[in-house]
Structure formats: structure tokens, C-alpha cells
PDB file of all heavy atoms in Angstrom:
ATOM      1  N   ALA C1281    -116.428 -82.880 282.158  1.00  0.00           N
ATOM      2  CA  ALA C1281    -116.960 -82.279 280.934  1.00  0.00           C
ATOM      3  C   ALA C1281    -118.250 -83.001 280.563  1.00  0.00           C
ATOM      4  O   ALA C1281    -118.319 -84.231 280.586  1.00  0.00           O
ATOM      5  CB  ALA C1281    -115.949 -82.392 279.805  1.00  0.00           C
ATOM      6  N   CYS C1282    -119.264 -82.231 280.209  1.00  0.00           N
ATOM      7  CA  CYS C1282    -120.548 -82.799 279.796  1.00  0.00           C
ATOM      8  C   CYS C1282    -120.355 -83.562 278.494  1.00  0.00           C
ATOM      9  O   CYS C1282    -119.747 -83.046 277.547  1.00  0.00           O
ATOM     10  CB  CYS C1282    -121.575 -81.684 279.623  1.00  0.00           C
ATOM     11  SG  CYS C1282    -123.161 -82.267 278.994  1.00  0.00           S
ATOM     12  N   THR C1283    -120.872 -84.769 278.436  1.00  0.00           N
ATOM     13  CA  THR C1283    -120.736 -85.594 277.234  1.00  0.00           C
ATOM     14  C   THR C1283    -121.628 -85.088 276.102  1.00  0.00           C
ATOM     15  O   THR C1283    -121.403 -85.423 274.942  1.00  0.00           O
ATOM     16  CB  THR C1283    -121.089 -87.059 277.533  1.00  0.00           C
ATOM     17  OG1 THR C1283    -122.395 -87.113 278.103  1.00  0.00           O
ATOM     18  CG2 THR C1283    -120.085 -87.675 278.486  1.00  0.00           C
ATOM     19  N   HIS C1284    -122.625 -84.263 276.426  1.00  0.00           N
ATOM     20  CA  HIS C1284    -123.551 -83.775 275.403  1.00  0.00           C
ATOM     21  C   HIS C1284    -123.111 -82.437 274.811  1.00  0.00           C
ATOM     22  O   HIS C1284    -122.998 -82.301 273.596  1.00  0.00           O
ATOM     23  CB  HIS C1284    -124.962 -83.653 275.988  1.00  0.00           C
ATOM     24  CG  HIS C1284    -126.005 -83.288 274.988  1.00  0.00           C
ATOM     25  ND1 HIS C1284    -126.483 -82.001 274.885  1.00  0.00           N
ATOM     26  CD2 HIS C1284    -126.629 -84.016 274.042  1.00  0.00           C
ATOM     27  CE1 HIS C1284    -127.373 -81.961 273.914  1.00  0.00           C
ATOM     28  NE2 HIS C1284    -127.487 -83.173 273.379  1.00  0.00           N
ATOM     29  N   CYS C1285    -122.851 -81.441 275.670  1.00  0.00           N
ATOM     30  CA  CYS C1285    -122.528 -80.100 275.164  1.00  0.00           C
ATOM     31  C   CYS C1285    -121.052 -79.732 275.296  1.00  0.00           C
ATOM     32  O   CYS C1285    -120.615 -78.716 274.763  1.00  0.00           O
ATOM     33  CB  CYS C1285    -123.393 -79.040 275.847  1.00  0.00           C
ATOM     34  SG  CYS C1285    -123.016 -78.767 277.585  1.00  0.00           S
ATOM     35  N   GLY C1286    -120.276 -80.530 276.042  1.00  0.00           N
ATOM     36  CA  GLY C1286    -118.846 -80.287 276.172  1.00  0.00           C
ATOM     37  C   GLY C1286    -118.441 -79.259 277.205  1.00  0.00           C
ATOM     38  O   GLY C1286    -117.259 -78.978 277.363  1.00  0.00           O
ATOM     39  N   THR C1287    -119.383 -78.682 277.925  1.00  0.00           N
ATOM     40  CA  THR C1287    -119.063 -77.690 278.952  1.00  0.00           C
ATOM     41  C   THR C1287    -118.287 -78.352 280.083  1.00  0.00           C
ATOM     42  O   THR C1287    -118.652 -79.425 280.544  1.00  0.00           O
ATOM     43  CB  THR C1287    -120.346 -77.062 279.518  1.00  0.00           C
ATOM     44  OG1 THR C1287    -121.105 -76.523 278.446  1.00  0.00           O
ATOM     45  CG2 THR C1287    -120.033 -75.979 280.529  1.00  0.00           C
ATOM     46  N   VAL C1288    -117.217 -77.712 280.517  1.00  0.00           N
ATOM     47  CA  VAL C1288    -116.420 -78.218 281.632  1.00  0.00           C
ATOM     48  C   VAL C1288    -116.954 -77.595 282.913  1.00  0.00           C
ATOM     49  O   VAL C1288    -117.099 -76.378 283.012  1.00  0.00           O
ATOM     50  CB  VAL C1288    -114.925 -77.891 281.446  1.00  0.00           C
ATOM     51  CG1 VAL C1288    -114.120 -78.357 282.647  1.00  0.00           C
ATOM     52  CG2 VAL C1288    -114.404 -78.527 280.164  1.00  0.00           C
ATOM     53  N   HIS C1289    -117.256 -78.446 283.889  1.00  0.00           N
ATOM     54  CA  HIS C1289    -117.854 -78.005 285.153  1.00  0.00           C
ATOM     55  C   HIS C1289    -116.946 -78.309 286.332  1.00  0.00           C
ATOM     56  O   HIS C1289    -116.326 -79.368 286.375  1.00  0.00           O
ATOM     57  CB  HIS C1289    -119.171 -78.759 285.418  1.00  0.00           C
ATOM     58  CG  HIS C1289    -120.231 -78.520 284.407  1.00  0.00           C
ATOM     59  ND1 HIS C1289    -120.937 -77.345 284.339  1.00  0.00           N
ATOM     60  CD2 HIS C1289    -120.715 -79.313 283.418  1.00  0.00           C
ATOM     61  CE1 HIS C1289    -121.812 -77.422 283.341  1.00  0.00           C
ATOM     62  NE2 HIS C1289    -121.698 -78.608 282.780  1.00  0.00           N
ATOM     63  N   GLY C1290    -116.926 -77.391 287.288  1.00  0.00           N
ATOM     64  CA  GLY C1290    -116.418 -77.701 288.612  1.00  0.00           C
ATOM     65  C   GLY C1290    -117.580 -78.356 289.348  1.00  0.00           C
ATOM     66  O   GLY C1290    -118.707 -77.859 289.287  1.00  0.00           O
ATOM     67  N   ARG C1291    -117.351 -79.464 290.003  1.00  0.00           N
ATOM     68  CA  ARG C1291    -118.424 -80.245 290.612  1.00  0.00           C
ATOM     69  C   ARG C1291    -119.300 -79.407 291.541  1.00  0.00           C
ATOM     70  O   ARG C1291    -120.521 -79.410 291.437  1.00  0.00           O
ATOM     71  CB  ARG C1291    -117.812 -81.427 291.355  1.00  0.00           C
ATOM     72  CG  ARG C1291    -118.815 -82.356 291.972  1.00  0.00           C
ATOM     73  CD  ARG C1291    -118.094 -83.435 292.785  1.00  0.00           C
ATOM     74  NE  ARG C1291    -119.027 -84.466 293.147  1.00  0.00           N
ATOM     75  CZ  ARG C1291    -118.981 -85.713 292.702  1.00  0.00           C
ATOM     76  NH1 ARG C1291    -118.027 -86.072 291.879  1.00  0.00           N
ATOM     77  NH2 ARG C1291    -119.864 -86.591 293.074  1.00  0.00           N
ATOM     78  N   ASP C1292    -118.688 -78.673 292.467  1.00  0.00           N
ATOM     79  CA  ASP C1292    -119.447 -77.916 293.463  1.00  0.00           C
ATOM     80  C   ASP C1292    -120.152 -76.717 292.838  1.00  0.00           C
ATOM     81  O   ASP C1292    -121.296 -76.404 293.189  1.00  0.00           O
ATOM     82  CB  ASP C1292    -118.540 -77.458 294.598  1.00  0.00           C
ATOM     83  CG  ASP C1292    -117.960 -78.622 295.390  1.00  0.00           C
ATOM     84  OD1 ASP C1292    -118.587 -79.700 295.391  1.00  0.00           O
ATOM     85  OD2 ASP C1292    -116.880 -78.453 295.993  1.00  0.00           O
ATOM     86  N   HIS C1293    -119.487 -76.033 291.923  1.00  0.00           N
ATOM     87  CA  HIS C1293    -120.091 -74.864 291.276  1.00  0.00           C
ATOM     88  C   HIS C1293    -121.296 -75.283 290.439  1.00  0.00           C
ATOM     89  O   HIS C1293    -122.336 -74.620 290.450  1.00  0.00           O
ATOM     90  CB  HIS C1293    -119.033 -74.156 290.420  1.00  0.00           C
ATOM     91  CG  HIS C1293    -119.444 -72.816 289.941  1.00  0.00           C
ATOM     92  ND1 HIS C1293    -119.583 -72.515 288.624  1.00  0.00           N
ATOM     93  CD2 HIS C1293    -119.760 -71.682 290.619  1.00  0.00           C
ATOM     94  CE1 HIS C1293    -119.963 -71.269 288.495  1.00  0.00           C
ATOM     95  NE2 HIS C1293    -120.077 -70.735 289.696  1.00  0.00           N
ATOM     96  N   ASN C1294    -121.162 -76.375 289.715  1.00  0.00           N
ATOM     97  CA  ASN C1294    -122.268 -76.894 288.915  1.00  0.00           C
ATOM     98  C   ASN C1294    -123.446 -77.286 289.809  1.00  0.00           C
ATOM     99  O   ASN C1294    -124.593 -76.969 289.501  1.00  0.00           O
ATOM    100  CB  ASN C1294    -121.798 -78.107 288.105  1.00  0.00           C
ATOM    101  CG  ASN C1294    -122.891 -78.668 287.235  1.00  0.00           C
ATOM    102  OD1 ASN C1294    -123.388 -78.006 286.344  1.00  0.00           O
ATOM    103  ND2 ASN C1294    -123.263 -79.911 287.505  1.00  0.00           N
ATOM    104  N   ALA C1295    -123.147 -77.953 290.923  1.00  0.00           N
ATOM    105  CA  ALA C1295    -124.213 -78.354 291.854  1.00  0.00           C
ATOM    106  C   ALA C1295    -124.926 -77.123 292.416  1.00  0.00           C
ATOM    107  O   ALA C1295    -126.155 -77.109 292.536  1.00  0.00           O
ATOM    108  CB  ALA C1295    -123.641 -79.203 292.983  1.00  0.00           C
ATOM    109  N   ALA C1296    -124.162 -76.077 292.735  1.00  0.00           N
ATOM    110  CA  ALA C1296    -124.762 -74.847 293.267  1.00  0.00           C
ATOM    111  C   ALA C1296    -125.707 -74.218 292.245  1.00  0.00           C
ATOM    112  O   ALA C1296    -126.797 -73.748 292.597  1.00  0.00           O
ATOM    113  CB  ALA C1296    -123.670 -73.860 293.658  1.00  0.00           C
ATOM    114  N   LYS C1297    -125.308 -74.209 290.974  1.00  0.00           N
ATOM    115  CA  LYS C1297    -126.186 -73.673 289.928  1.00  0.00           C
ATOM    116  C   LYS C1297    -127.474 -74.487 289.822  1.00  0.00           C
ATOM    117  O   LYS C1297    -128.561 -73.936 289.667  1.00  0.00           O
ATOM    118  CB  LYS C1297    -125.472 -73.683 288.578  1.00  0.00           C
ATOM    119  CG  LYS C1297    -124.410 -72.639 288.431  1.00  0.00           C
ATOM    120  CD  LYS C1297    -123.788 -72.742 287.048  1.00  0.00           C
ATOM    121  CE  LYS C1297    -122.744 -71.698 286.818  1.00  0.00           C
ATOM    122  NZ  LYS C1297    -122.142 -71.826 285.476  1.00  0.00           N
ATOM    123  N   ASN C1298    -127.355 -75.811 289.917  1.00  0.00           N
ATOM    124  CA  ASN C1298    -128.538 -76.671 289.829  1.00  0.00           C
ATOM    125  C   ASN C1298    -129.455 -76.508 291.030  1.00  0.00           C
ATOM    126  O   ASN C1298    -130.679 -76.546 290.892  1.00  0.00           O
ATOM    127  CB  ASN C1298    -128.127 -78.127 289.646  1.00  0.00           C
ATOM    128  CG  ASN C1298    -127.580 -78.396 288.260  1.00  0.00           C
ATOM    129  OD1 ASN C1298    -127.975 -77.758 287.294  1.00  0.00           O
ATOM    130  ND2 ASN C1298    -126.664 -79.333 288.156  1.00  0.00           N
ATOM    131  N   VAL C1299    -128.883 -76.316 292.211  1.00  0.00           N
ATOM    132  CA  VAL C1299    -129.694 -76.077 293.416  1.00  0.00           C
ATOM    133  C   VAL C1299    -130.436 -74.754 293.275  1.00  0.00           C
ATOM    134  O   VAL C1299    -131.632 -74.655 293.574  1.00  0.00           O
ATOM    135  CB  VAL C1299    -128.818 -76.086 294.688  1.00  0.00           C
ATOM    136  CG1 VAL C1299    -129.571 -75.532 295.884  1.00  0.00           C
ATOM    137  CG2 VAL C1299    -128.330 -77.495 294.977  1.00  0.00           C
ATOM    138  N   LYS C1300    -129.735 -73.726 292.797  1.00  0.00           N
ATOM    139  CA  LYS C1300    -130.377 -72.423 292.605  1.00  0.00           C
ATOM    140  C   LYS C1300    -131.530 -72.516 291.615  1.00  0.00           C
ATOM    141  O   LYS C1300    -132.609 -71.971 291.844  1.00  0.00           O
ATOM    142  CB  LYS C1300    -129.347 -71.410 292.118  1.00  0.00           C
ATOM    143  CG  LYS C1300    -129.901 -70.020 291.933  1.00  0.00           C
ATOM    144  CD  LYS C1300    -128.825 -69.065 291.465  1.00  0.00           C
ATOM    145  CE  LYS C1300    -129.414 -67.680 291.234  1.00  0.00           C
ATOM    146  NZ  LYS C1300    -128.407 -66.756 290.714  1.00  0.00           N
ATOM    147  N   GLN C1301    -131.312 -73.247 290.531  1.00  0.00           N
ATOM    148  CA  GLN C1301    -132.371 -73.410 289.534  1.00  0.00           C
ATOM    149  C   GLN C1301    -133.540 -74.207 290.107  1.00  0.00           C
ATOM    150  O   GLN C1301    -134.696 -73.850 289.908  1.00  0.00           O
ATOM    151  CB  GLN C1301    -131.836 -74.104 288.295  1.00  0.00           C
ATOM    152  CG  GLN C1301    -132.891 -74.243 287.216  1.00  0.00           C
ATOM    153  CD  GLN C1301    -132.360 -74.915 285.966  1.00  0.00           C
ATOM    154  OE1 GLN C1301    -131.211 -75.322 285.904  1.00  0.00           O
ATOM    155  NE2 GLN C1301    -133.207 -75.030 284.976  1.00  0.00           N
ATOM    156  N   ALA C1302    -133.261 -75.277 290.851  1.00  0.00           N
ATOM    157  CA  ALA C1302    -134.330 -76.086 291.452  1.00  0.00           C
ATOM    158  C   ALA C1302    -135.134 -75.263 292.451  1.00  0.00           C
ATOM    159  O   ALA C1302    -136.356 -75.369 292.508  1.00  0.00           O
ATOM    160  CB  ALA C1302    -133.732 -77.316 292.127  1.00  0.00           C
ATOM    161  N   ALA C1303    -134.462 -74.431 293.214  1.00  0.00           N
ATOM    162  CA  ALA C1303    -135.157 -73.579 294.183  1.00  0.00           C
ATOM    163  C   ALA C1303    -136.053 -72.579 293.463  1.00  0.00           C
ATOM    164  O   ALA C1303    -137.199 -72.352 293.872  1.00  0.00           O
ATOM    165  CB  ALA C1303    -134.153 -72.850 295.063  1.00  0.00           C
ATOM    166  N   GLY C1304    -135.573 -72.009 292.374  1.00  0.00           N
ATOM    167  CA  GLY C1304    -136.383 -71.068 291.601  1.00  0.00           C
ATOM    168  C   GLY C1304    -137.609 -71.720 291.010  1.00  0.00           C
ATOM    169  O   GLY C1304    -138.697 -71.156 291.006  1.00  0.00           O
ATOM    170  N   LEU C1305    -137.461 -72.943 290.521  1.00  0.00           N
ATOM    171  CA  LEU C1305    -138.610 -73.678 289.967  1.00  0.00           C
ATOM    172  C   LEU C1305    -139.624 -73.997 291.045  1.00  0.00           C
ATOM    173  O   LEU C1305    -140.822 -73.909 290.826  1.00  0.00           O
ATOM    174  CB  LEU C1305    -138.133 -74.960 289.289  1.00  0.00           C
ATOM    175  CG  LEU C1305    -137.299 -74.784 288.020  1.00  0.00           C
ATOM    176  CD1 LEU C1305    -136.771 -76.125 287.547  1.00  0.00           C
ATOM    177  CD2 LEU C1305    -138.096 -74.099 286.929  1.00  0.00           C
ATOM    178  N   ALA C1306    -139.142 -74.354 292.242  1.00  0.00           N
ATOM    179  CA  ALA C1306    -140.056 -74.677 293.343  1.00  0.00           C
ATOM    180  C   ALA C1306    -140.834 -73.440 293.779  1.00  0.00           C
ATOM    181  O   ALA C1306    -142.029 -73.515 294.035  1.00  0.00           O
ATOM    182  CB  ALA C1306    -139.278 -75.264 294.511  1.00  0.00           C
ATOM    183  N   VAL C1307    -140.168 -72.317 293.843  1.00  0.00           N
ATOM    184  CA  VAL C1307    -140.835 -71.078 294.251  1.00  0.00           C
ATOM    185  C   VAL C1307    -141.853 -70.673 293.191  1.00  0.00           C
ATOM    186  O   VAL C1307    -142.972 -70.279 293.519  1.00  0.00           O
ATOM    187  CB  VAL C1307    -139.798 -69.950 294.479  1.00  0.00           C
ATOM    188  CG1 VAL C1307    -140.485 -68.613 294.659  1.00  0.00           C
ATOM    189  CG2 VAL C1307    -138.947 -70.266 295.691  1.00  0.00           C
ATOM    190  N   THR C1308    -141.505 -70.808 291.919  1.00  0.00           N
ATOM    191  CA  THR C1308    -142.443 -70.474 290.848  1.00  0.00           C
ATOM    192  C   THR C1308    -143.674 -71.378 290.906  1.00  0.00           C
ATOM    193  O   THR C1308    -144.797 -70.922 290.729  1.00  0.00           O
ATOM    194  CB  THR C1308    -141.752 -70.620 289.474  1.00  0.00           C
ATOM    195  OG1 THR C1308    -140.612 -69.762 289.456  1.00  0.00           O
ATOM    196  CG2 THR C1308    -142.672 -70.236 288.348  1.00  0.00           C
ATOM    197  N   ALA C1309    -143.469 -72.664 291.179  1.00  0.00           N
ATOM    198  CA  ALA C1309    -144.584 -73.601 291.251  1.00  0.00           C
ATOM    199  C   ALA C1309    -145.513 -73.245 292.410  1.00  0.00           C
ATOM    200  O   ALA C1309    -146.722 -73.482 292.332  1.00  0.00           O
ATOM    201  CB  ALA C1309    -144.056 -75.020 291.420  1.00  0.00           C
ATOM    202  N   CYS C1310    -144.959 -72.677 293.467  1.00  0.00           N
ATOM    203  CA  CYS C1310    -145.773 -72.290 294.632  1.00  0.00           C
ATOM    204  C   CYS C1310    -146.263 -70.853 294.519  1.00  0.00           C
ATOM    205  O   CYS C1310    -146.801 -70.307 295.479  1.00  0.00           O
ATOM    206  CB  CYS C1310    -144.953 -72.453 295.911  1.00  0.00           C
ATOM    207  SG  CYS C1310    -144.479 -74.145 296.247  1.00  0.00           S
TER     208      CYS C1310
END
């Protein structure tokens, strides 16, 4: 659970969301 917002995350699912977001930011920057 996030100590700031309280959202409960599955480790792998959360990581997948962050990878998707990082990839989108990289593509936008390019």
C-alpha cells in the first residue's frame, strides 16, 4: 500500500503501469 495515497498495488501490475508510462514519456520526448 502506498504510504502517501493508500492505493494497494500488486507489485508486477504496478511495475507494468510505470513501464508503460515511462515508455509513453520517452516517445513523447522523441
